[in-house]
Amino acid sequence: MRLIIAEKPSLARAIADALPGNSKREDGAITVGDSLVTWCLGHLLEQASPDAYDPAYKQWRLDHLPIIPQQWRLTPRPKARGQLAVIRRLLKRATNVVHAGDPDREGQLLVQEVIHYLGWKGPVSRLLVSDLNRPAVVKALAHLDDNARYQPLYRAAEARSRADWLYGINLSRAWTLVGRQAGHDGVLSVGRVQTPVLGLVVRRDAEIAAFQPRPFHVLWADLAVEHGQLRAWWQPGEHHPLDDLGRLLERAPAEVLASRLPGAEGRLARLETQQKRQAAPLPYSLSALQVDAARRYKLSAKMVLDACQSLYERHKLITYPRSDCRHLPEAHFALAQRTLQGACGGDGTLRQWFTGADFTRRSKAWNDRKVGAHHALAPTGTQADMSRLSNTEANVFRLIVRNVLAQFYPTLEFREIKAEFEILGEMFRAQGREILEPGWKPLFTTRDEAPPLPPLREGEPARVIDHGVEDRETRPPEPFTDASLIKAMMNIARYVEDAEVKRTLRDTDGLGTEATRAGIIETLLTRGYLIRQQNALRATRTGHALIQALPEAASRPERTALWEQRLTAIAEQDAVPAPFLDGLVTDLRELLAAADAMRMREAFGNAQGVEAPARTKRQAKGRRSSGPRRSSNGKPAARRRRSNKEPS
């Protein structure tokens, strides 16, 4: 009997539907012919708590740290024992096992750790399903692989799980304990990804708070030329007071020139035209989709992820969504017209876009060399019943289909024009863009382009018909939003100061993964470190204080981004995990040595930021005026122990 273990029930049902023969449901499984299909419910197992290694660790004490397991243990999640018992029972009937976790690092870990935990010693095959439609699953079942090929992926995921435990347990306990010594009541959780993400927001908020606006001034002139009118802007020379961006810092020079402009005549001294072509944006990765959906529809990253999961699992309208790839397999090109015809059939906007597509075109989106474990998000070809989709699901679905359809539209072609006019011995500049071929652009925007400049020729006369001096101010950086924070996590090298590390990180995936970035933001919101103000993400007072109290290395992105690089080396180059974990333990000891109650007390005293709403401030319960009663070794007194909940 073959036992197929899927990552989740929706995948198990899709596999059962693709197997030949009649299916029969039983407790926790589906029988189809000589195969049994069962499932996990996400992670059935988790890293054991510290007190599983030593009961003394149930008390939080600084002198226990760092806690470093010698033999790692897993324990069933509280709600998973029933399904674990089902899989244990089914393994006794199995002659071989098929691992059907999602095709990524966590999917490999999630099922394989269950197989190991339950003691299976027989053969294991690997089933990779990225599309829940029946033809795709049938094809995947016909191409099972040896699970041994995916051990590097498993070792990387296992190393990630253990490293996160070491980092989170030890640093969260340390800063919670010194926080209590400083009078803060509650758990202060520290994580290898969430804390640097919080650091990004805290530092941006600090830049905004410290920003001092500076006035600057601009002078414009409306010019009559041979074939129309245009507006040009004065370009003051270096002998005027300018900032580092060339902006005029004093109004007087602009006023002096403005007084001479009425009726002044000049000529077009320099005309530069450049014809450009721009290919359509590639199909989406999850993070790129989250960025666009946040900008267009004001959706949070989690809302986009949830919509994608529903479109994938429930409606079977899109392929596997948690992908970091923006390319498609070359074999998909031949099927694209039929797939998109099905995908567009249930929506008027999509049908209209489909009729304008030219399926003889082939963009750079189809490239096997750039497709790894996953390919870009794409429609499966199933016709959507839009009445069954929520508004969010429908909007996200249209975005995904649109970006694939755009590959069959012409390239956007336009002409960029820069014109420099000499008037009264001063230079005025006008810029414009003329669309030659709109190509794919109408699929992405309904806004009209700014009117192009009139036809121009170098040397033609120009006359001033109007002018004005405007007073402006420099603006502070924009606060982070879901879109910009996800983009920052994707492109973390921009926020790294060390030139060598910046070069190293430029080609890596950044902070977190496609599957975790939305959850990281939601975790910071839930724990009261961030708050949403309209569309902006701002750090709370607690968030500011935690970042100020931690060593800078714990709140900056370099460490965790390099972690991802090392984990990738384990997954893709079969590197050994031990040096990575040993190096982490060395780092932990240095970080723990910096835990200091006085610094924490000063951080809370100096902390800026908004207060979190009461619904997210579970940590604020209890006494505040004098802090919790505590014993001589720095741990909370006995009556406080109930609040020592490990951060998840």
Side-chain angles (χ1 to χ4, degrees):
M1 178 72 72
R2 178 174 66 169
L3 176 63
I4 303 174
I5 305 175
E7 179 165 331
K8 55 182 78 71
S10 58
L11 177 57
R13 290 192 295 269
I15 293 170
D17 290 344
L19 290 168
N22 297 322
S23 63
K24 178 183 177 183
R25 293 189 68 95
E26 56 178 271
D27 182 26
I30 306 170
T31 303
V32 187
D34 63 351
S35 295
L36 278 164
V37 185
T38 189
W39 52 85
C40 299
L41 302 167
H43 278 282
L44 299 182
L45 302 169
E46 61 186 3
Q47 293 293 337
S49 62
D51 56 274
Y53 298 99
D54 187 335
Y57 293 153
K58 198 169 187 68
Q59 298 181 22
W60 290 28
R61 297 169 53 117
L62 288 170
D63 56 7
H64 286 159
L65 306 179
I67 300 170
I68 304 169
Q70 298 305 306
Q71 295 291 329
W72 288 88
R73 300 180 189 176
L74 296 173
T75 187
R77 289 180 179 265
K79 296 181 180 180
R81 295 183 184 278
Q83 191 60 21
L84 267 176
V86 168
I87 299 173
R88 179 183 280 109
R89 171 173 52 81
L90 296 176
L91 281 171
K92 294 177 181 178
R93 298 166 55 186
T95 55
N96 61 84
V97 169
V98 177
H99 179 316
D102 281 350
D104 59 13
R105 198 168 71 192
E106 287 306 301
Q108 186 66 33
L109 174 69
L110 191 149
V111 174
Q112 188 162 333
E113 67 183 5
V114 169
I115 294 171
H116 288 177
Y117 181 80
L118 296 177
W120 173 257
K121 304 297 183 185
V124 180
S125 301
R126 187 64 165 100
L127 172 63
L128 297 170
V129 176
S130 59
D131 180 343
L132 295 186
N133 272 339
R134 190 175 187 278
V137 181
V138 169
K139 184 177 180 180
L141 283 163
H143 295 86
L144 296 181
D145 209 344
D146 186 348
N147 191 56
R149 286 190 57 192
Y150 299 88
Q151 294 318 288
L153 204 63
Y154 169 72
R155 285 192 287 271
E158 183 181 60
R160 191 278 315 155
S161 177
R162 292 174 177 179
D164 279 346
W165 189 96
L166 286 168
Y167 199 84
I169 291 291
N170 285 290
L171 296 188
S172 295
R173 286 193 172 202
W175 264 267
T176 295
L177 290 170
V178 298
R180 287 174 179 168
Q181 291 174 5
H184 177 74
D185 193 15
V187 173
L188 290 171
S189 64
V190 181
R192 60 104 179 180
V193 177
Q194 72 165 30
T195 304
V197 173
L198 175 60
L200 289 175
V201 181
V202 166
R203 280 183 277 274
R204 174 63 60 83
D205 283 357
E207 288 179 41
I208 294 171
F211 181 80
Q212 295 292 329
R214 292 185 302 169
F216 67 98
H217 313 276
V218 297
L219 168 62
W220 54 265
D222 286 343
L223 307 179
V225 292
E226 287 184 5
H227 298 288
Q229 298 178 7
L230 55 83
R231 177 163 291 186
W233 302 84
W234 180 41
Q235 307 298 302
E238 294 181 357
H239 57 284
H240 292 295
L242 307 177
D243 67 9
D244 55 357
L245 295 179
R247 294 176 295 205
L248 184 66
L249 298 177
E250 294 180 4
R251 199 176 201 273
E255 290 179 329
V256 170
L257 179 57
S259 67
R260 301 168 57 204
L261 281 178
E265 295 188 353
R267 66 183 186 90
L268 177 52
R270 184 167 177 261
L271 179 64
E272 180 181 330
T273 63
Q274 190 173 7
Q275 194 158 323
K276 295 186 175 182
R277 296 164 56 88
Q278 185 178 339
L282 290 168
Y284 283 119
S285 65
L286 175 60
S287 288
L289 174 63
Q290 287 168 322
V291 170
D292 273 8
R295 288 174 174 166
R296 181 175 286 259
Y297 299 117
K298 310 302 182 188
L299 299 177
S300 72
K302 185 176 186 300
M303 291 169 69
V304 178
L305 176 58
D306 289 346
C308 285
Q309 285 298 126
S310 180
L311 291 169
Y312 171 62
E313 294 180 7
R314 178 183 174 194
H315 302 291
K316 299 181 174 59
L317 292 175
I318 66 169
T319 57
Y320 181 75
R322 298 178 183 235
S323 173
D324 61 356
C325 178
R326 298 199 67 174
H327 290 80
L328 295 167
E330 293 172 12
H332 284 205
F333 178 77
L335 305 172
Q337 182 172 2
R338 186 173 64 186
T339 299
L340 288 167
Q341 185 173 21
C344 297
D347 180 75
T349 299
L350 293 177
R351 282 198 302 271
Q352 181 179 350
W353 288 347
F354 178 82
T355 58
D358 177 1
F359 291 97
T360 64
R361 293 182 176 275
R362 181 171 182 136
S363 76
K364 296 180 179 179
W366 285 271
N367 188 335
D368 287 345
R369 289 178 296 178
K370 295 190 176 182
V371 174
H374 320 293
H375 57 68
L377 280 68
T380 60
T382 298
Q383 182 169 314
D385 181 350
M386 303 302 279
S387 66
R388 295 184 60 201
L389 302 184
S390 69
N391 190 51
T392 297
E393 289 169 346
N395 286 333
V396 170
F397 179 66
R398 289 190 190 98
L399 288 179
I400 293 168
V401 176
R402 178 202 66 182
N403 270 42
V404 179
L405 267 173
Q407 309 310 309
F408 299 99
Y409 271 71
T411 299
L412 168 64
E413 297 183 24
F414 57 93
R415 181 182 294 118
E416 282 190 350
I417 303 166
K418 295 180 181 179
E420 293 186 351
F421 294 86
E422 186 177 339
I423 302 171
L424 301 177
E426 298 287 342
M427 193 64 68
F428 287 76
R429 181 177 295 161
Q431 297 185 83
R433 188 165 88 155
E434 179 184 358
I435 300 296
L436 305 175
E437 165 58 69
W440 50 267
K441 191 71 172 178
L443 276 64
F444 286 73
T445 181
T446 57
R447 292 178 301 177
D448 293 330
E449 288 276 334
L453 297 178
L456 297 170
R457 62 176 179 82
E458 196 166 295
E460 70 174 277
R463 178 172 54 85
V464 176
I465 57 175
D466 197 5
H467 70 280
V469 177
E470 295 181 6
D471 299 324
R472 299 183 181 181
E473 279 191 338
T474 56
R475 299 176 61 183
E478 293 290 333
F480 276 114
T481 63
D482 277 74
S484 61
L485 189 54
I486 288 282
K487 194 166 185 179
M489 294 164 75
M490 293 166 63
N491 302 289
I492 199 61
R494 296 179 184 176
Y495 300 87
V496 172
E497 296 177 357
D498 184 284
E500 184 175 347
V501 175
K502 185 187 286 284
R503 283 194 299 271
T504 302
L505 296 180
R506 194 165 285 129
D507 297 325
T508 64
D509 291 335
L511 279 176
T513 66
E514 304 293 322
T516 62
R517 287 176 183 136
I520 290 162
I521 295 173
E522 293 302 316
T523 294
L524 291 168
L525 289 162
T526 301
R527 290 178 175 164
Y529 298 146
L530 294 183
I531 186 173
R532 277 199 179 92
Q533 293 184 330
Q534 297 180 327
N535 294 320
L537 293 167
R538 308 302 292 260
T540 64
R541 182 172 176 270
T542 302
H544 277 270
L546 179 59
I547 295 302
Q548 290 176 33
L550 283 165
E552 187 175 16
S555 67
R556 294 200 64 87
E558 287 88 339
R559 178 192 305 273
T560 191
L562 288 170
W563 269 35
E564 285 297 329
Q565 190 178 47
R566 290 165 187 161
L567 291 170
T568 299
I570 296 170
E572 298 180 0
Q573 301 167 26
D574 205 9
V576 178
F580 165 63
L581 293 172
D582 291 344
L584 169 60
V585 170
T586 300
D587 289 346
L588 273 178
R589 295 185 190 278
E590 294 179 3
L591 291 170
L592 290 170
D596 180 76
M598 182 174 293
R599 179 173 175 174
M600 177 68 78
R601 190 176 295 112
E602 291 176 355
F604 272 102
N606 298 330
Q608 304 297 313
V610 295
E611 291 293 337
R615 66 183 178 83
T616 63
K617 290 193 68 177
R618 298 177 184 175
Q619 299 168 332
K621 294 179 181 178
R623 300 191 308 169
R624 297 184 184 178
S625 57
S626 60
R629 180 173 62 87
R630 59 194 71 262
S631 64
S632 59
N633 63 9
K635 72 178 186 296
R639 66 186 178 85
R640 300 289 305 158
R641 287 177 193 154
R642 290 177 301 173
S643 67
N644 287 340
K645 188 177 186 300
E646 300 287 359
S648 57

